[in-house]
């Protein structure tokens, strides 16, 4: 009886999620294909300022929506800390676009135990950094985007 109740509860959650995802898709189509930026009852806008935090296999483990867009470079370390708190461990790999780069962020991520920090520095003059950015693992996986 308890298992059946648990299964019914989970089914209800999945049904609610399907309804919500269907609404998000409808709203996204209205925005992208119809140009309607004022969809009533908007759930999520990919055009708003937000941060999505993914773990292994591109599973979203947290997100945050901001009133004003923060600097990407201010979000890298808090995202690693959130990963540690939510997953109970430090990620092996952190990948983000160049907006998240700063030498301090790379150093702090490594100090926190991240083995591979894949955040490109487009303006680097360092030959060692350019060689690092050419490695195959750079750009694999996403923890921050």
């Amino acid at each position: 009886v308890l298992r059946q109740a648990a299964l019914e509860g989970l089914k209800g959650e999945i049904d609610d999620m399907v309804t919500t995802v269907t609404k998000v898709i409808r709203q996204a189509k209205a925005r992208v294909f119809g140009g309607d930026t004022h969809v009533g009852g908007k759930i999520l806008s990919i055009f708003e300022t937000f941060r999505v935090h993914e773990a292994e296999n591109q599973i979203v483990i947290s997100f945050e929506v901001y009133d004003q867009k923060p600097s990407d470079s201010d979000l890298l370390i808090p995202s690693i800390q959130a990963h540690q708190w939510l997953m109970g461990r430090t990620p092996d790999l952190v990948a983000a676009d160049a907006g998240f780069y700063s030498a301090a962020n790379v150093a702090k991520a490594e100090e926190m135990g991240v083995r591979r920090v894949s955040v490109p520095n487009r303006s680097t003059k360092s030959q060692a950094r350019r060689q690092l950015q050419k490695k195959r693992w750079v750009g694999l996986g996403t923890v921050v985007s």
Side-chain angles (χ1 to χ4, degrees):
V1 174
L2 291 176
R3 282 187 177 184
Q4 185 62 36
L7 287 173
E8 288 176 15
L10 291 171
K11 181 189 179 303
E13 288 182 35
I14 291 171
D15 290 344
D16 290 345
M17 185 174 288
V18 168
T19 300
T20 301
V21 169
T22 301
K23 188 174 180 181
V24 168
I25 290 169
R26 183 176 40 78
Q27 291 174 353
K29 285 181 178 179
R31 166 66 190 230
V32 174
F33 299 120
D36 184 359
T37 60
H38 302 289
V39 176
K42 188 185 311 182
I43 295 172
L44 172 71
S45 173
I46 59 172
F47 303 98
E48 303 295 333
T49 54
F50 69 100
R51 173 195 55 85
V52 175
H53 180 179
E54 299 175 357
E56 293 81 6
N57 301 313
Q58 298 179 330
I59 296 173
V60 174
I61 61 172
S62 72
F63 67 91
E64 192 166 355
V65 179
Y66 302 98
D67 291 331
Q68 295 184 347
K69 182 172 176 22
S71 169
D72 287 346
S73 64
D74 292 338
L75 301 176
L76 187 68
I77 300 307
S79 293
I80 296 170
Q81 291 167 333
H83 184 97
Q84 289 172 319
W85 185 80
L86 291 165
M87 305 300 286
R89 65 178 183 80
T90 301
D92 289 330
L93 168 69
V94 170
D97 66 39
F100 290 82
Y101 179 81
S102 76
N105 277 347
V106 171
K108 180 65 176 173
E110 290 172 348
E111 177 185 307
M112 294 169 76
V114 178
R115 290 184 327 125
R116 293 182 168 175
V117 181
S118 175
V119 183
N121 177 0
R122 292 196 181 117
S123 61
T124 187
K125 303 217 182 320
S126 163
Q127 182 64 27
R129 179 79 191 169
R130 276 189 252 140
Q131 289 300 317
L132 173 73
Q133 291 178 175
K134 290 181 182 180
K135 292 190 181 252
R136 186 170 190 270
W137 62 264
V138 176
L140 298 177
T142 302
V143 172
V144 179
S145 71

